[in-house]
Structures are given as C-alpha cells and as structure tokens.
Amino acid sequence: MIREKVVKVQGNYRDPGLIERVSANFRKFWVDIKWMNVNCDNNNNCILYLSLYDRYNLGNVDLSILTLSKMVDIDYVEIINDYNVKNFELNYNNSERYEWGEKVEQSAWQGIYRK
Amino acid sequence: MKGSELLVESLKREGVKNIFGIPGLYNMPMYDSFYEDLANGEMRHILMRHEQAAAHAADGFARATGIPGVCTATSGPGVTNLITGLVTAYQDSSPVVAITGGVNRASMGKLSFQESDTLGVSFPVSKYAVELRDITEIPQWIKNAFYVASTGRPGPVVVDVPRDIQMEDIDNVKYPDSVSVHYKPFRTVIDKDALRKAALNLLNAKKPVILVGTGVMWANATEEIIKLSEFLGCPVVSTLPGKSSMPADYPLYIGPMGYYGRAEASTAALESDVLFAVGARFSDRTFTSYNEMNDTKKIFMSINLDPTDFNKGINPDVAMLGNAKVLLNELLNVLNTLGRKGNVYEWTKRVNELKDYYSQFSHPEDDGHLRPWKILKTIREAVPRDTILTTGVGQHQMWAETQWENLEPRSFFSSTGMGTMGFGLPSAMGAKVGKPDKVVLDYDGDGSFMMTGNNLATAVDEHIPVIAIVNDNRTLGLVRQVQDMFQNKRIVGVDYGNSPNIVKYAESFGADAYDVHDYKDLYEFIRKAIKENVPSVIRVPVNKEELALPTLPPGGKLSEVIVSDPRKGSKGAGKL
C-alpha cells in the first residue's frame, strides 16, 4: 500500500476556514500532512498542494481523499502521480518577530535566520 | 430594511414557519424582526429550555416532515450548546438549518463577551457552516443553506450572522432565484449494465436478503422496496434507523439487524448469498465485523447516494449510485423485462425457521417486574397505527429496536449514529410540531429523559402534547449491563439514587403525570393522555437487572449473538 500521496485540491476561498477544513479532514482520518502549499487568486479560487502521509499505516488515505472531494467549497481533488517538488524559498530583507504575544527586539535574534 | 428583517424574510421565502430556539444578545435583532410574524401567526417560535434541545427539536421536525427544521441560538454558550444536537443530525443525515447570532465584526477574535468561534466549533459537526461577511449575503446564503441541508445526503448547515450585520440597513434588496455555492448534490446514475447484473444476481440468488437503511426513508422508497421484495419473495432486514423505512407488519420484514438487532435478522443477513443494501451504509453498528461478512463470500450489492460509502469496510460487487426510489424503479423495470421470478422457497422456509426459533427468546416470561417487550406491546395496542415514536439512548432504545412495531414509514426516530442521550423528548416535540395530527410518543429511559427533561416546560407552555413514557430503572442500564456481563460484575458509576421522583418532576412543569403499576395501567394512562391532549409523562418502573437482548460481547461478531440471560445458567449463545 502506498503510504504517501501528493494531491492538488481546488476550492472556493471564503475565509481561512477552507484550509482549516481541508486539514481537519485529514486529521480525522489520522492522515498526516508533510507539507502544504496554498495559493488563492483574486476570484477566490484556491489551489492547495498537500503531501499526505499515512504515518500509522491505517490505509485511510484514499478514503480521506474521497471524503474531502465531497466537501462543500471543494471543486476537486486530484492525486498527482508523477511530480517533482522544489523547496519553497522566500527571499526577504526585513522582518519583525513575535513570541508569546510579545515583540522580540531585533537585536535578540537578528541575523540568525535572515537569508 | 434591516439585516435582521432581511434574514426573517429570507427564511419565510424558504417556507419556514417554525423556529426552535433561545434568544440572546446576538440573535435578538432577528427576534425583534419576527415579532409581527409571531403575533399574526405567520411564524411560530418555540422557546426551548436548552439549545441542545432546540437542535433535536429541529431534527425531529425534519425527520417527521422531510423538510429542514430550523433552530436558532446566540453566540457563545448558545452555539456550543447547539453542537450536540447538530452532530446528532449530521450522523443521522437529518436536514437542520441553524441560524446563529455572532458577535459584532469588530469584536471578533478579541475574546469578546460570548464569543465562541462559531465556525471553528461548527465545521466538524455540520455539513457546512458559513459566517456572513456582509448584509447583502443574507438572502443568498439562506437559500444556499436550505439547498445544501436538504439535498444529497441531508445534514445540518449553520449560518452565523454577526449582530452588527443584523442591525445594518439596506436598500434595494435582491432575492436570488437560484443557489450559488460550490457544492453538488450526489448524482443518480442509471447504469444499465449494473442494473441488469443486479437483477440477475437477485433472480439467481438462493438466499437473497434486502438490507434497508434510512436512505429509503429520505427517498420515500418504501413502496418500491415492498414491490421488489414481493417480486422476489425476498426477506427484508434493516439497520436500526432503517426501521423508520419499513412497516413492521410487512410479512417479509424480519426486523433490524446489528449489534442489538434481532438475531433472526442478523443471522439471515449472515446466511444470505446475495445481500442487497439499499440506502444503508455498511456501518460498524450493523456489520460489527467486516471480516465476518466478507468471509461469507456472498455477493454484496448496494444502492447508495453517497459514493464514498462504497469504500468503507465492504466493497460491493454491484454498486449503484443514486436515489433509492429512482434506482429501485429502474431495477423493477429490468426485472419485469427479464420475465421470471425468484425461486426462494427453501430460503423462505429457513427464514421462518429462524423467526420461530428466536421468538422464544424475545418474549421472556413475567418475573414479577414489568417486561420491556410487554410494555412495548401494550403501547402498540394503545396508540393509532400512524403514531410516531422517538427514543432516547440506552437500553430502552434497544428494546424499541427489537420490539417496537412502527407500522408506517417515518414514524420511528432515534439518535442512532451519535447515540445522543436526551434526544427523545425534544425530537418528539419537533415531530409533533411538524405533524400535529399524529400521536407522538417519546419512549425513554430515566437517564436519557433527565438530560433534556426540562424541556417539558416548553411542551407545556407551547402546548405541544407529546407523551413521554419513561422506563425508570434508576440506572444507566446499557452501561450497567456491559459491566455486569463483560466486566466481572464490577458495577460502577451507573446507579442513580431516588431523586427525582419522575411523576412529581413532570407535575412540577404542569404536565400530566402517571405512575404505572401494571400493563392495564399503562394502556389506560396512554389512552387518557391521548384524550387529554396535553403533555404527559408516564413513568414505568423497570427492573435494573433487565438486559437489552440480543447483544454481543464488546467487539463481537454477529454470529456471537447472546439471546438469553447468561446469568440464569443459559450458555447465552443463540445459534440455530
């Protein structure tokens, strides 16, 4: 049984609850999400790519995909059989950091993660 | 026009006449807007005593009428109280629309007063939940909500309307002509090959069984099931909720199968060579062991609206997707074309043998206490044929599963998927509001009844004359019997004391109340309660040692059914 699958999901974006419901769908089946990429356009069409992993070998991946496909706001779920993933990379020069509700002064962490 | 007026007008355009609910700060504008509608009788508001009961009442209304029931609650505790009722409707595929009042948009996410993240708590327990962002969305989303709730596999939909949107004004309202939502109801596929294959399988079967689920009730397909069964001479079994699809006096109906189902029904399903499930998912309550069923090597066939149900535990050899009524009519056409009938004489004999054998266990003799089977028989004799009976959850529910004879479709409602104690009384109230001309009974247990019994006050205030028949054994009987039978008699945390006196409790709400001492009492009190036409409670004392049988050991297979009281020296196993 294949324990890892990459899927493309097209859904209608109304609010971030879309992502919440997609994630919750897999959580309920004990299917892990190894990574996710989400992009939404100005017409509320969202494309989500997810890598699903059956960590506990329960065989629920296919059923979880079918179940997601019948959720309100989901247009389709596509299982991608042949794919090549490049690492997500975001280049930036400036940022602010918050921890436990507080802003952390730049001097405390500056330079550690900057790319 | 205010947003709240637009909300009420949109509900009226969907045909809403009854709303079960409780007002609070955040849904108050809507209440203000239906003030005149209540005064002139165009709408009715039923003020429940707890939001859980409001959702159950809307659910009972929906099951009895076939159209969505509506409930409302305010944000915060109102919404969270609704949740148990919503998930109950979700599990049993009942169309409920919940209108919730949300905190003002500017206050959201700030832990404001009675803020409970309505969407967050509603998503997992509903078919859909939506929070309106703008006053112009109201009419479209009310239309969408009713469409989503009542099509496909029915289910609850939550529409959360922030208070400030309800308070806003709008000119030039545009009401939608059609729905606009990313959602498709499931398809009905007329697959000629599958229909022919199904017909041939049924005609060639030596031991066919039709398994009926709630999908038959929602599709109003009872007549087609009976036509098919008669054509083939084929026995019918049901799931527990599928009981509501079949008249108990139909001669080829054996009864519900499954965990606490009738042993003859489960055995017939096990022994069958073709099992044809219609509108039934192969749930773990009906087929307690998929391996046991798959090991029989029988042919499984299924008509189901939801294609994902073909992928849970049992993969049917013939899967037909769609509405049960449409597909059964197509199948009957194919069978007529093939021009021959089934030959199941030997199988009929065997099924009758099973019925005869197991009937000895289902009617245990008097032991000085009132026996559940005889209680239910007495109730049946006292009420009209089309009486609606709801149940709570517990032993009494299992007794009703095997012993209550509902004689018409849509007349037996129980929380079967979620197993929600407290469902009985409020769902009966909802059913009575939807079907005021029918006698509506809540057959309950004391543990379950007490969870929502305060809604008797609503039944009295609103004159909703339901009759609650409460099996009073002062214990959580179903848990107790598992402890007794399978946990070395370590009875713990289940026995209640004497409080309250159920009769006095009912009287304190202004309901009529009766204390039964024998079957004659029970019959006469029911007749009197029907005649008086006021909310009534009939307390029936039951021995706490009484078991709900048949049963299985925890995690057991259907073939391990226990049909008689093992504490009385019987080996318990009831295999014929």
Side-chain angles (χ1 to χ4, degrees):
Chain A
M1 189 179 296
I2 297 170
R3 292 173 64 182
E4 189 168 356
K5 283 187 178 170
V6 170
V7 294
K8 175 185 178 184
V9 181
Q10 179 174 307
N12 174 58
Y13 183 88
R14 182 172 170 78
D15 56 47
L18 176 70
I19 300 163
E20 187 178 348
R21 286 186 294 139
V22 170
S23 303
N25 174 74
F26 295 112
R27 172 183 51 74
K28 281 187 273 192
F29 284 100
W30 286 36
V31 170
D32 282 308
I33 299 171
K34 289 179 79 173
W35 53 260
M36 181 193 293
N37 181 286
V38 184
N39 272 296
C40 301
D41 66 20
N42 291 334
N43 296 318
N44 296 325
N45 295 311
C46 260
I47 300 289
L48 300 86
Y49 293 98
L50 301 99
S51 176
L52 309 174
Y53 182 61
D54 184 6
R55 188 199 307 185
Y56 303 99
N57 209 12
L58 296 172
N60 281 341
V61 173
D62 288 344
L63 185 56
S64 68
I65 290 169
L66 276 176
T67 303
L68 178 63
S69 75
K70 62 173 184 173
M71 188 183 281
V72 179
D73 280 340
I74 300 297
D75 296 325
Y76 63 78
V77 186
E78 193 176 324
I79 298 172
I80 299 175
N81 296 317
D82 186 12
Y83 58 88
N84 185 3
V85 188
K86 285 185 182 170
N87 286 338
F88 173 71
E89 192 174 300
L90 177 71
N91 296 314
Y92 61 99
N93 296 314
N94 194 7
S95 64
E96 294 169 358
R97 179 176 291 193
Y98 297 86
E99 293 178 6
W100 292 98
E102 286 188 276
K103 185 173 180 180
V104 183
E105 289 305 317
Q106 261 195 350
S107 58
W109 60 275
Q110 193 172 27
I112 298 174
Y113 294 108
R114 182 173 294 184
K115 213 165 187 178
Chain B
M1 184 182 230
K2 283 199 178 309
S4 54
E5 292 166 341
L6 181 54
L7 179 58
V8 172
E9 178 58 29
S10 301
L11 290 170
K12 283 160 68 177
R13 283 170 182 253
E14 293 301 317
V16 175
K17 296 199 182 308
N18 299 286
I19 299 180
F20 304 90
I22 300 180
L25 178 60
Y26 299 107
N27 61 350
M28 264 166 56
M30 181 179 81
Y31 275 75
D32 186 59
S33 293
F34 59 50
Y35 182 91
E36 282 78 15
D37 297 305
L38 301 191
N40 67 25
E42 196 167 344
M43 292 179 86
R44 181 180 185 190
H45 172 254
I46 295 104
L47 176 58
M48 305 299 290
R49 291 306 205 271
H50 191 283
E51 289 85 354
Q52 178 190 343
H56 289 327
D59 185 348
F61 178 93
R63 296 192 205 203
T65 61
I67 57 177
V70 179
C71 55
T72 184
T74 193
S75 184
V79 166
T80 55
N81 283 347
L82 270 186
I83 295 299
T84 300
L86 294 179
V87 74
T88 302
Y90 185 54
Q91 278 261 10
D92 285 350
S93 306
S94 180
V96 168
V97 173
I99 309 293
T100 58
V103 301
N104 291 348
R105 284 169 289 182
S107 303
M108 282 181 181
K110 296 172 184 167
L111 216 60
S112 55
F113 177 64
Q114 291 192 329
E115 185 186 8
S116 62
D117 184 10
T118 300
L119 281 194
V121 296
S122 301
F123 278 148
V125 300
S126 60
K127 188 172 174 183
Y128 193 57
V130 61
E131 184 175 68
L132 302 193
R133 297 293 170 96
D134 188 277
I135 189 169
T136 57
E137 293 188 325
I138 291 174
Q140 184 66 67
W141 272 106
I142 293 298
K143 190 165 200 65
N144 292 348
F146 279 81
Y147 180 68
V148 171
S150 57
T151 55
R153 182 197 281 268
V157 173
V158 177
V159 182
D160 189 53
V161 192
R163 179 184 161 90
D164 59 321
I165 289 182
Q166 297 177 59
M167 298 299 290
E168 260 182 20
D169 287 308
I170 186 172
D171 298 321
N172 303 322
V173 174
K174 191 168 183 300
Y175 292 98
D177 297 323
S178 57
V179 295
S180 174
V181 54
H182 283 243
Y183 159 81
K184 286 182 193 166
F186 297 123
R187 297 183 305 148
T188 293
V189 179
I190 313 288
D191 180 341
K192 302 275 185 205
D193 289 342
L195 285 162
R196 185 177 164 79
K197 200 171 167 188
L200 289 171
N201 281 340
L202 288 168
L203 289 173
N204 294 332
K206 296 280 183 287
K207 296 182 284 184
V209 164
I210 300 168
L211 168 63
V212 167
T214 329
V216 170
M217 182 190 88
W218 288 110
N220 296 316
T222 301
E223 189 186 331
E224 284 75 12
I225 288 288
I226 289 174
K227 277 186 192 166
L228 178 67
S229 162
E230 282 177 350
F231 185 94
L232 299 164
C234 178
V236 180
V237 301
S238 73
T239 62
L240 164 56
K243 240 176 102 74
S244 53
S245 308
M246 290 305 297
D249 57 351
Y250 174 60
L252 291 174
Y253 177 53
I254 308 174
M257 63 174 289
Y259 203 107
Y260 286 96
R262 295 184 78 103
E264 56 270 46
S266 298
T267 308
L270 277 173
E271 291 185 5
S272 64
D273 59 354
V274 173
L275 186 63
F276 183 24
V278 184
R281 63 192 170 102
F282 299 109
S283 85
D284 56 357
R285 203 68 172 171
T286 306
F287 290 4
T288 60
S289 160
Y290 294 123
N291 287 340
E292 179 185 38
M293 273 292 167
N294 283 319
D295 286 348
T296 62
K297 306 292 180 198
K298 67 173 86 287
I299 293 172
F300 290 99
M301 305 199 303
S302 176
I303 287 178
N304 204 307
L305 198 59
D306 184 342
T308 66
D309 279 347
F310 298 142
N311 297 275
K312 296 173 185 167
I314 302 285
N315 296 312
D317 300 278
V318 183
M320 290 169 281
L321 183 65
N323 177 283
K325 192 177 187 76
V326 173
L327 290 176
L328 284 170
N329 276 316
E330 292 289 335
L331 182 61
L332 284 162
N333 288 340
V334 175
L335 284 164
N336 281 317
T337 313
L338 291 170
R340 61 190 173 99
K341 296 210 166 191
N343 180 9
V344 291
Y345 177 71
E346 287 300 321
W347 177 227
T348 307
K349 259 175 59 179
R350 170 63 179 162
V351 168
N352 287 335
E353 194 179 56
L354 289 171
K355 282 186 187 170
D356 289 345
Y357 175 72
Y358 285 114
S359 68
Q360 67 180 300
F361 301 106
S362 54
H363 301 97
E365 292 170 3
D366 284 347
D367 61 354
H369 300 92
L370 297 175
R371 305 305 299 258
W373 73 269
K374 225 166 171 176
I375 292 168
L376 284 155
K377 186 167 181 283
T378 305
I379 298 170
R380 181 69 271 176
E381 288 165 357
V383 297
R385 181 179 172 85
D386 64 352
T387 293
I388 292 172
L389 181 134
T390 69
T391 78
V393 168
Q395 278 185 312
H396 69 278
Q397 180 190 29
M398 303 309 146
W399 294 324
E401 174 176 8
T402 53
Q403 302 294 337
W404 173 248
E405 296 189 339
N406 50 291
L407 300 177
E408 299 210 346
R410 273 189 202 283
S411 64
F412 173 80
F413 308 128
S414 189
S415 169
T416 58
M418 199 62 197
T420 306
M421 293 176 73
F423 176 80
L425 179 68
S427 64
M429 291 165 60
K432 184 69 179 174
V433 169
K435 293 286 179 186
D437 297 335
K438 294 194 178 185
V439 172
V440 180
L441 306 177
D442 161 32
Y443 182 67
D444 226 322
D446 59 309
S448 192
F449 177 73
M450 287 303 297
M451 290 202 177
T452 52
N454 55 342
N455 290 281
L456 261 180
T458 301
V460 171
D461 286 348
E462 299 281 342
H463 186 63
I464 304 170
V466 293
I467 304 168
I469 300 172
V470 182
N471 291 249
D472 188 1
N473 60 2
R474 296 289 147 171
T475 189
L476 296 171
L478 208 54
V479 180
R480 190 181 204 277
Q481 86 169 46
V482 172
Q483 294 174 344
D484 191 359
M485 294 173 74
F486 307 113
Q487 294 182 13
N488 299 319
K489 300 185 180 301
R490 290 161 63 87
I491 309 294
V492 53
V494 290
D495 288 343
Y496 290 117
N498 292 327
S499 180
N501 176 314
I502 297 280
V503 170
K504 287 183 179 170
Y505 175 79
E507 285 172 344
S508 76
F509 291 112
D512 282 2
Y514 306 90
D515 207 355
V516 164
H517 297 95
D518 54 34
Y519 300 110
K520 188 165 164 285
D521 273 357
L522 176 59
Y523 181 88
E524 286 174 1
F525 293 155
I526 294 170
R527 298 300 302 167
K528 187 158 186 246
I530 294 172
K531 191 176 169 199
E532 295 293 332
N533 200 32
V534 295
S536 306
V537 174
I538 300 173
R539 174 189 173 269
V540 184
V542 172
N543 182 7
K544 67 170 63 175
E545 298 294 328
E546 185 78 53
L547 299 178
L549 297 172
T551 190
L552 305 178
K557 298 175 178 175
L558 292 174
S559 56
E560 294 169 341
V561 64
I562 297 165
V563 291
S564 58
D565 190 341
R567 300 167 304 184
K568 294 181 179 167
S570 155
K571 285 180 183 171
K575 209 167 181 181
L576 176 60

PDB file of all heavy atoms in Angstrom, chain B residues 8-20:
ATOM      1  N   VAL B   8     -35.197  37.333   8.275  1.00  0.00           N
ATOM      2  CA  VAL B   8     -36.513  36.716   8.511  1.00  0.00           C
ATOM      3  C   VAL B   8     -37.275  36.551   7.192  1.00  0.00           C
ATOM      4  O   VAL B   8     -37.866  35.501   6.928  1.00  0.00           O
ATOM      5  CB  VAL B   8     -37.332  37.560   9.519  1.00  0.00           C
ATOM      6  CG1 VAL B   8     -38.770  37.058   9.623  1.00  0.00           C
ATOM      7  CG2 VAL B   8     -36.661  37.530  10.893  1.00  0.00           C
ATOM      8  N   GLU B   9     -37.230  37.567   6.347  1.00  0.00           N
ATOM      9  CA  GLU B   9     -37.918  37.478   5.052  1.00  0.00           C
ATOM     10  C   GLU B   9     -37.326  36.338   4.208  1.00  0.00           C
ATOM     11  O   GLU B   9     -38.057  35.585   3.551  1.00  0.00           O
ATOM     12  CB  GLU B   9     -37.804  38.815   4.316  1.00  0.00           C
ATOM     13  CG  GLU B   9     -38.434  38.847   2.931  1.00  0.00           C
ATOM     14  CD  GLU B   9     -39.922  38.509   2.915  1.00  0.00           C
ATOM     15  OE1 GLU B   9     -40.608  38.777   3.914  1.00  0.00           O
ATOM     16  OE2 GLU B   9     -40.389  37.955   1.887  1.00  0.00           O
ATOM     17  N   SER B  10     -36.018  36.193   4.270  1.00  0.00           N
ATOM     18  CA  SER B  10     -35.365  35.114   3.510  1.00  0.00           C
ATOM     19  C   SER B  10     -35.794  33.750   4.034  1.00  0.00           C
ATOM     20  O   SER B  10     -36.003  32.816   3.252  1.00  0.00           O
ATOM     21  CB  SER B  10     -33.843  35.253   3.596  1.00  0.00           C
ATOM     22  OG  SER B  10     -33.428  36.492   3.079  1.00  0.00           O
ATOM     23  N   LEU B  11     -35.920  33.632   5.350  1.00  0.00           N
ATOM     24  CA  LEU B  11     -36.384  32.366   5.931  1.00  0.00           C
ATOM     25  C   LEU B  11     -37.812  32.078   5.484  1.00  0.00           C
ATOM     26  O   LEU B  11     -38.152  30.943   5.133  1.00  0.00           O
ATOM     27  CB  LEU B  11     -36.315  32.422   7.466  1.00  0.00           C
ATOM     28  CG  LEU B  11     -34.905  32.423   8.079  1.00  0.00           C
ATOM     29  CD1 LEU B  11     -34.965  32.736   9.572  1.00  0.00           C
ATOM     30  CD2 LEU B  11     -34.216  31.083   7.860  1.00  0.00           C
ATOM     31  N   LYS B  12     -38.634  33.109   5.494  1.00  0.00           N
ATOM     32  CA  LYS B  12     -40.038  32.920   5.085  1.00  0.00           C
ATOM     33  C   LYS B  12     -40.112  32.490   3.620  1.00  0.00           C
ATOM     34  O   LYS B  12     -40.949  31.667   3.240  1.00  0.00           O
ATOM     35  CB  LYS B  12     -40.831  34.213   5.311  1.00  0.00           C
ATOM     36  CG  LYS B  12     -41.181  34.416   6.791  1.00  0.00           C
ATOM     37  CD  LYS B  12     -41.524  35.840   7.140  1.00  0.00           C
ATOM     38  CE  LYS B  12     -42.792  36.331   6.538  1.00  0.00           C
ATOM     39  NZ  LYS B  12     -43.094  37.713   6.985  1.00  0.00           N
ATOM     40  N   ARG B  13     -39.236  33.038   2.806  1.00  0.00           N
ATOM     41  CA  ARG B  13     -39.220  32.643   1.397  1.00  0.00           C
ATOM     42  C   ARG B  13     -38.822  31.183   1.217  1.00  0.00           C
ATOM     43  O   ARG B  13     -39.076  30.596   0.168  1.00  0.00           O
ATOM     44  CB  ARG B  13     -38.268  33.546   0.603  1.00  0.00           C
ATOM     45  CG  ARG B  13     -38.881  34.902   0.327  1.00  0.00           C
ATOM     46  CD  ARG B  13     -37.883  35.886  -0.227  1.00  0.00           C
ATOM     47  NE  ARG B  13     -38.520  37.161  -0.425  1.00  0.00           N
ATOM     48  CZ  ARG B  13     -38.846  37.669  -1.620  1.00  0.00           C
ATOM     49  NH1 ARG B  13     -38.547  37.010  -2.715  1.00  0.00           N
ATOM     50  NH2 ARG B  13     -39.453  38.827  -1.707  1.00  0.00           N
ATOM     51  N   GLU B  14     -38.130  30.616   2.211  1.00  0.00           N
ATOM     52  CA  GLU B  14     -37.817  29.181   2.174  1.00  0.00           C
ATOM     53  C   GLU B  14     -38.937  28.346   2.791  1.00  0.00           C
ATOM     54  O   GLU B  14     -38.800  27.140   2.965  1.00  0.00           O
ATOM     55  CB  GLU B  14     -36.495  28.904   2.910  1.00  0.00           C
ATOM     56  CG  GLU B  14     -35.275  29.481   2.223  1.00  0.00           C
ATOM     57  CD  GLU B  14     -35.075  28.969   0.799  1.00  0.00           C
ATOM     58  OE1 GLU B  14     -35.249  27.747   0.586  1.00  0.00           O
ATOM     59  OE2 GLU B  14     -34.777  29.788  -0.094  1.00  0.00           O
ATOM     60  N   GLY B  15     -40.009  28.999   3.168  1.00  0.00           N
ATOM     61  CA  GLY B  15     -41.169  28.271   3.696  1.00  0.00           C
ATOM     62  C   GLY B  15     -41.112  28.006   5.190  1.00  0.00           C
ATOM     63  O   GLY B  15     -41.880  27.204   5.718  1.00  0.00           O
ATOM     64  N   VAL B  16     -40.199  28.684   5.895  1.00  0.00           N
ATOM     65  CA  VAL B  16     -40.049  28.429   7.330  1.00  0.00           C
ATOM     66  C   VAL B  16     -41.237  29.005   8.100  1.00  0.00           C
ATOM     67  O   VAL B  16     -41.574  30.173   7.960  1.00  0.00           O
ATOM     68  CB  VAL B  16     -38.732  29.054   7.855  1.00  0.00           C
ATOM     69  CG1 VAL B  16     -38.627  28.889   9.364  1.00  0.00           C
ATOM     70  CG2 VAL B  16     -37.545  28.416   7.159  1.00  0.00           C
ATOM     71  N   LYS B  17     -41.836  28.148   8.909  1.00  0.00           N
ATOM     72  CA  LYS B  17     -42.949  28.592   9.746  1.00  0.00           C
ATOM     73  C   LYS B  17     -42.671  28.354  11.232  1.00  0.00           C
ATOM     74  O   LYS B  17     -43.330  28.926  12.094  1.00  0.00           O
ATOM     75  CB  LYS B  17     -44.229  27.856   9.354  1.00  0.00           C
ATOM     76  CG  LYS B  17     -44.668  28.168   7.924  1.00  0.00           C
ATOM     77  CD  LYS B  17     -46.116  27.840   7.699  1.00  0.00           C
ATOM     78  CE  LYS B  17     -46.559  28.086   6.268  1.00  0.00           C
ATOM     79  NZ  LYS B  17     -46.232  29.436   5.790  1.00  0.00           N
ATOM     80  N   ASN B  18     -41.724  27.473  11.518  1.00  0.00           N
ATOM     81  CA  ASN B  18     -41.426  27.123  12.918  1.00  0.00           C
ATOM     82  C   ASN B  18     -39.936  27.282  13.187  1.00  0.00           C
ATOM     83  O   ASN B  18     -39.115  26.789  12.413  1.00  0.00           O
ATOM     84  CB  ASN B  18     -41.821  25.676  13.190  1.00  0.00           C
ATOM     85  CG  ASN B  18     -43.308  25.446  12.976  1.00  0.00           C
ATOM     86  OD1 ASN B  18     -44.129  25.859  13.781  1.00  0.00           O
ATOM     87  ND2 ASN B  18     -43.657  24.805  11.865  1.00  0.00           N
ATOM     88  N   ILE B  19     -39.620  27.933  14.285  1.00  0.00           N
ATOM     89  CA  ILE B  19     -38.219  28.073  14.696  1.00  0.00           C
ATOM     90  C   ILE B  19     -38.105  27.658  16.157  1.00  0.00           C
ATOM     91  O   ILE B  19     -38.826  28.175  17.014  1.00  0.00           O
ATOM     92  CB  ILE B  19     -37.716  29.523  14.536  1.00  0.00           C
ATOM     93  CG1 ILE B  19     -37.807  29.961  13.060  1.00  0.00           C
ATOM     94  CG2 ILE B  19     -36.284  29.654  15.021  1.00  0.00           C
ATOM     95  CD1 ILE B  19     -37.327  31.383  12.806  1.00  0.00           C
ATOM     96  N   PHE B  20     -37.207  26.719  16.394  1.00  0.00           N
ATOM     97  CA  PHE B  20     -36.950  26.276  17.765  1.00  0.00           C
ATOM     98  C   PHE B  20     -35.698  26.996  18.247  1.00  0.00           C
ATOM     99  O   PHE B  20     -34.658  26.922  17.587  1.00  0.00           O
ATOM    100  CB  PHE B  20     -36.707  24.762  17.797  1.00  0.00           C
ATOM    101  CG  PHE B  20     -37.827  23.956  17.210  1.00  0.00           C
ATOM    102  CD1 PHE B  20     -37.852  23.635  15.854  1.00  0.00           C
ATOM    103  CD2 PHE B  20     -38.872  23.518  18.003  1.00  0.00           C
ATOM    104  CE1 PHE B  20     -38.887  22.896  15.301  1.00  0.00           C
ATOM    105  CE2 PHE B  20     -39.919  22.781  17.465  1.00  0.00           C
ATOM    106  CZ  PHE B  20     -39.929  22.469  16.106  1.00  0.00           C
TER     107      PHE B  20
END
